[in-house]
Amino acid sequence: MTAPNPAVALQPARPSSGPIKAKVSRDDWMMRGLIMVIGLYLLITLAFPLYAMMSRSVEVYDFRFDAVMIEFEEDGQWIDKGSAADWVERLSQPINNGLLPTARTRIAASEFLLKSERQGIDAFRFTDTTEEGGTLLYDGNLTESGQTLEVGRGDLSRVFLRPMPQLGARNYQIYFQTPTLRLSIVNSLFIASLTTIITVSLAFFFAYALTRSCMPFKGLFRVIALVPILVPSLLPGIGLVYLFGNQGMIKEMLMGESIYGPIGIVIASVFYTFPHALIIILVALSIADARLYEAAIALRASKLKTFFTVTLPGARYGLVSAAFVVFNLVITDFGVPKVIGGQYNVLALDIYKQVVGQQNFEMGAVVSVVLLFPAVLAFAIDRSMQRRQVALLSARAVPYSPKKSRLFDLSMFGYCTLVGLFIMGLLAVCQYAALVKFYPYNLELGLKNYQFGRMDGGGWGSYLNSIRLALYTSIFGTAVVFIGAYVVEKGRGFQFGRSSFQFLAMMPMAVPGMVLGLAYVFFFNDPDNPLNALYGSMTILVICTITHFYTVSHLTAVTALKQMDAEFESVSASLKQPFYRTFARVTVPVCLPAILDISIYLFVNAMTTVSAVVFLYSPDTTLASIAMLNMDDAGDIAPAAAMGMMIFYTNACVRLMHAGLTHGLIGKTQAWRRA
């Protein structure tokens, strides 16, 4: 018999409860708290408003005539005269002119009580028999359940019936049964698809020229190509009006076609979206392995075959991503079709017409939900394609360096020159329009159009409000975005909370600005909402702008944080240093280039945004981009161009100041990169 091993006998029994969980430290709790705080911010500023908007889209309003009982006073006695429904049935004309009621519809009691039958009656009673109340309105006050209103003959016109809400799909049925509204879907998809094809094609060959040729002035062309980012989408539409409008400078080039419609929308959208596609494609083409091209030469493949077998496959994910970004920008844009769309309806413009033109908020919510579908679908496909992307540049790769070819370089230079002339030419036309006194009758140059105080739009105060909005958005938005990205990327555990936060952070990219702005109307303009005081203030404009552009800023911050080794946090924890000290002394200096990029991105977009804030401003918070819109509506196109150029010059100056002021700061904090 073998004797037991005493060493084995003394070993303690292993616990059977599963893996040992790491202890949650104070830093972990603080970071989780920050995740919850910023996550709550995104819930309140994004998820809750979208829910309120979707709920409003399925609200159907109907009058409860059968729930309103009517009595007349005759000879000192109250005589039952039946319900309001009995009186409505006897009318020769349909009540409310046969229109479907909305939340704002009101019908005076005097409209359905036949005048011939109420003559000589001095007093009337109206009883609300509904369980919820609120069917009757008298002097701005709603009735309660079972309440009776007793009014004299002179006060009868002050009694109103209001429709009661209920859930239903009638709004969607009306939308899809209305030919003009239904046609907007086809128009939007057509415009977005055509613009995407043209823009991606132009941007690809422009990026190809910058990365595959030895043409001169590459830096200048790169700067010119990014100029449209600095202007609001309204401005290219105004420039096209001066070029090809009814009194345009070169309207004959359209050969009788009108610029007001799909032609103008496509041209202006190409101008507006070109730099967005170019940036993505440039990155895709810059990551190229020279060994693949050397192998193609060794195999004696033609340049055309090399292009289709090496260049295009290597850039395919960039092309797909650029296509979906452009598609999303065009189908959700409001500024271009508003200025130059004419009678050509698109979804984003329908939202504006339903809300501002017809005060039909329910139908505006329906169009917003319809617009959400293509935007969300494009975003989902884009994210799916990015997840499938594989690394094309290995550690042994050789950077591609183009070789000189006189004919090819000259052709690429000529192509880039044409694109550059299109961009700068359209911008020059806008500047000319801003300076000419009264086109085409008085072509003298002056600064009359810059006297914004004399125009309908908000004056110079609007311009100053835009600068305030841009500064607040840049400062507070950068702080919120970077801190949120840091606690999610560098935090430990709490996987559910971090995943939920990432989902919320990605949502704004799929939500069009018009949809987000209308959602804010439904959510923040509700008197029962404790945050109602924010509506119409500069604060809500800042919140909306930060939320609208949150995703791109978040991805920029996460990309920068992923480049930092996790050992920084581990070493800091081993030295008993709190995470916020490491964040301030290590993370922020290392990620300073990304932080500065986020700040300038938010500033520029806050200056140019239109769609997200068009429903949210008040007379005291009118913005420069909104002033452009109002001046264009009033027929003051030249002053609108002048305001657009002020936005451009402001963004250009801020970018130059940003580059100059941060050059030395980055040089000090990023010296380790050159070591």
Side-chain angles (χ1 to χ4, degrees):
M1 183 175 180
T2 305
N5 188 343
V8 175
L10 293 175
Q11 289 182 353
R14 294 183 178 179
S16 58
S17 58
I20 299 175
K21 294 184 179 180
K23 182 180 179 181
V24 180
S25 65
R26 183 184 64 177
D27 282 358
D28 292 335
W29 283 117
M30 293 177 66
M31 295 177 80
R32 293 179 184 185
L34 286 171
I35 290 176
M36 295 181 68
V37 168
I38 301 178
L40 181 61
Y41 163 83
L42 290 173
L43 279 174
I44 294 175
T45 61
L46 182 65
F48 292 169
L50 288 177
Y51 175 78
M53 183 201 68
M54 291 182 178
S55 300
R56 192 66 174 267
S57 72
V58 293
E59 277 190 357
V60 178
Y61 286 84
D62 281 310
F63 287 103
R64 298 284 302 277
F65 293 113
D66 58 333
V68 178
M69 306 309 296
I70 301 172
E71 297 176 274
F72 287 1
E73 184 183 27
E74 298 179 1
D75 300 327
Q77 295 184 349
W78 290 101
I79 308 300
D80 183 10
K81 292 295 183 178
S83 67
D86 300 329
W87 290 81
V88 170
E89 289 180 0
R90 295 158 58 189
L91 294 176
S92 58
Q93 297 291 333
I95 199 71
N96 193 35
N97 295 322
L99 299 176
L100 289 171
T102 68
R104 302 175 64 88
T105 307
R106 302 289 184 267
I107 294 179
S110 56
E111 290 185 29
F112 59 83
L113 290 179
L114 297 174
K115 189 174 182 180
S116 59
E117 296 190 28
R118 57 183 166 87
Q119 286 183 347
I121 306 299
D122 294 325
F124 305 86
R125 276 182 177 173
F126 300 89
T127 303
D128 184 347
T129 63
T130 60
E131 295 182 359
E132 63 275 15
T135 300
L136 296 168
L137 184 70
Y138 181 73
D139 279 349
N141 299 315
L142 297 176
T143 54
E144 298 178 359
S145 177
Q147 181 180 350
T148 297
L149 291 177
E150 184 175 331
V151 297
R153 182 194 305 174
D155 294 330
L156 181 62
S157 60
R158 297 161 65 185
V159 178
F160 291 88
L161 271 71
R162 57 188 293 269
M164 301 299 292
Q166 57 185 347
L167 298 181
R170 188 177 68 189
N171 294 330
Y172 288 91
Q173 294 174 353
I174 295 173
Y175 177 84
F176 287 105
Q177 290 172 359
T178 306
T180 54
L181 292 176
R182 192 172 62 243
L183 183 61
S184 296
I185 302 176
V186 179
N187 291 344
S188 294
L189 293 175
F190 170 73
I191 291 293
S193 301
L194 182 59
T195 303
T196 299
I197 295 171
I198 296 173
T199 304
V200 173
S201 300
L202 292 174
F204 175 79
F205 288 107
F206 199 95
Y208 190 79
L210 294 178
T211 57
R212 298 294 190 271
S213 75
C214 295
M215 70 176 191
F217 306 113
K218 285 186 179 181
L220 176 62
F221 283 123
R222 190 186 296 262
V223 171
I224 291 175
L226 298 180
V227 163
I229 291 180
L230 305 179
V231 303
S233 61
L234 298 162
L235 195 60
I238 293 175
L240 290 176
V241 170
Y242 275 87
L243 285 174
F244 304 105
N246 295 331
Q247 295 177 321
M249 305 173 190
I250 51 174
K251 64 178 182 180
E252 294 79 11
M253 292 187 64
L254 288 182
M255 295 178 290
E257 296 294 330
S258 174
I259 195 67
Y260 301 101
I263 296 176
I265 297 175
V266 170
I267 297 175
S269 297
V270 169
F271 175 93
Y272 169 60
T273 58
F274 180 81
H276 299 275
L278 178 65
I279 292 172
I280 298 172
I281 298 173
L282 267 176
V283 173
L285 289 176
S286 297
I287 305 175
D289 191 346
R291 296 176 302 170
L292 297 176
Y293 290 89
E294 292 172 358
I297 294 174
L299 294 173
R300 298 182 179 180
S302 64
K303 291 184 178 180
L304 186 62
K305 189 171 184 179
T306 303
F307 176 81
F308 283 105
T309 57
V310 178
T311 304
L312 275 183
R316 64 183 182 277
Y317 290 107
L319 288 171
V320 171
S321 184
F324 283 114
V325 167
V326 172
F327 182 89
N328 223 335
L329 286 172
V330 176
I331 202 170
T332 61
D333 180 60
F334 160 74
V336 169
K338 180 67 178 69
V339 172
I340 205 169
Q343 301 301 315
Y344 194 82
N345 290 335
V346 294
L347 287 170
L349 196 56
D350 277 348
I351 298 174
Y352 183 80
K353 289 180 178 179
Q354 291 293 332
V355 174
V356 176
Q358 302 182 26
Q359 297 290 299
N360 192 342
F361 288 87
E362 290 76 27
M363 190 56 67
V366 170
V367 183
S368 297
V369 174
V370 172
L371 181 57
L372 265 177
F373 278 100
V376 171
L377 181 62
F379 174 75
I381 296 175
D382 179 39
R383 298 303 300 176
S384 175
M385 293 297 294
Q386 289 186 18
R387 282 195 295 268
R388 294 170 56 187
Q389 186 171 1
V390 296
L392 299 176
L393 196 64
S394 66
R396 294 176 294 177
V398 178
Y400 179 81
S401 180
K403 297 179 181 179
K404 288 186 177 181
S405 173
R406 183 178 178 81
L407 180 61
F408 178 71
D409 293 344
L410 283 176
S411 61
M412 290 294 97
F413 177 77
Y415 172 76
C416 291
T417 300
L418 290 176
V419 175
L421 286 175
F422 165 70
I423 294 173
M424 298 308 297
L426 194 56
L427 204 62
V429 169
C430 294
Q431 181 58 81
Y432 174 75
L435 292 175
V436 73
K437 287 188 176 180
F438 188 50
Y439 182 86
Y441 305 105
N442 186 352
L443 301 182
E444 294 182 15
L445 302 182
L447 299 177
K448 176 185 176 182
N449 295 320
Y450 287 89
Q451 297 176 3
F452 300 127
R454 299 182 179 181
M455 314 296 175
D456 293 330
W460 281 101
S462 301
Y463 172 72
L464 297 177
N465 283 339
S466 282
I467 294 180
R468 287 174 56 207
L469 172 66
L471 287 173
Y472 293 155
T473 302
S474 177
I475 295 170
F476 296 111
T478 302
V480 170
V481 169
F482 192 76
I483 292 174
Y486 176 80
V487 294
V488 168
E489 184 63 29
K490 300 299 182 181
R492 298 182 302 175
F494 198 40
Q495 190 60 40
F496 174 77
R498 292 164 63 193
S499 300
S500 300
F501 185 96
Q502 287 281 26
F503 174 76
L504 287 172
M506 299 306 295
M507 279 182 63
M509 178 66 83
V511 180
M514 291 288 290
V515 176
L516 185 63
L518 185 58
Y520 273 44
V521 174
F522 294 133
F523 182 69
F524 287 98
N525 199 31
D526 186 351
D528 297 329
N529 188 339
L531 299 175
N532 174 257
L534 297 177
Y535 190 77
S537 66
M538 178 61 70
T539 303
I540 197 171
L541 296 179
V542 174
I543 291 173
C544 182
T545 307
I546 293 174
T547 305
H548 185 205
F549 301 107
Y550 193 97
T551 301
V552 173
S553 305
H554 175 78
L555 291 174
T556 303
V558 168
T559 301
L561 290 166
K562 284 183 179 295
Q563 295 176 354
M564 291 186 63
D565 199 317
E567 292 298 322
F568 284 106
E569 282 71 28
S570 301
V571 172
S572 175
S574 66
L575 295 174
K576 307 294 185 182
Q577 295 295 313
F579 83 94
Y580 51 82
R581 185 169 298 172
T582 307
F583 175 79
R585 294 186 177 181
V586 179
T587 307
V588 170
V590 170
C591 297
L592 189 59
I595 294 174
L596 296 173
D597 287 344
I598 292 171
S599 66
I600 195 64
Y601 169 80
L602 291 174
F603 184 96
V604 169
N605 280 283
M607 285 293 298
T608 59
T609 186
V610 181
S611 58
V613 296
V614 71
F615 299 134
L616 303 177
Y617 71 94
S618 67
D620 296 329
T621 58
T622 308
L623 304 174
S625 56
I626 301 300
M628 284 184 65
L629 180 66
N630 293 336
M631 287 188 286
D632 181 74
D633 281 342
D636 296 325
I637 303 178
M643 183 66 83
M645 294 307 297
M646 287 301 304
I647 295 175
F648 166 69
Y649 290 133
T650 302
N651 283 335
C653 290
V654 169
R655 274 198 170 273
L656 290 174
M657 292 172 57
H658 180 270
L661 292 175
T662 57
H663 179 73
L665 186 59
I666 292 179
K668 292 179 180 179
T669 59
Q670 306 299 306
W672 60 274
R673 294 182 183 269
R674 299 188 295 271

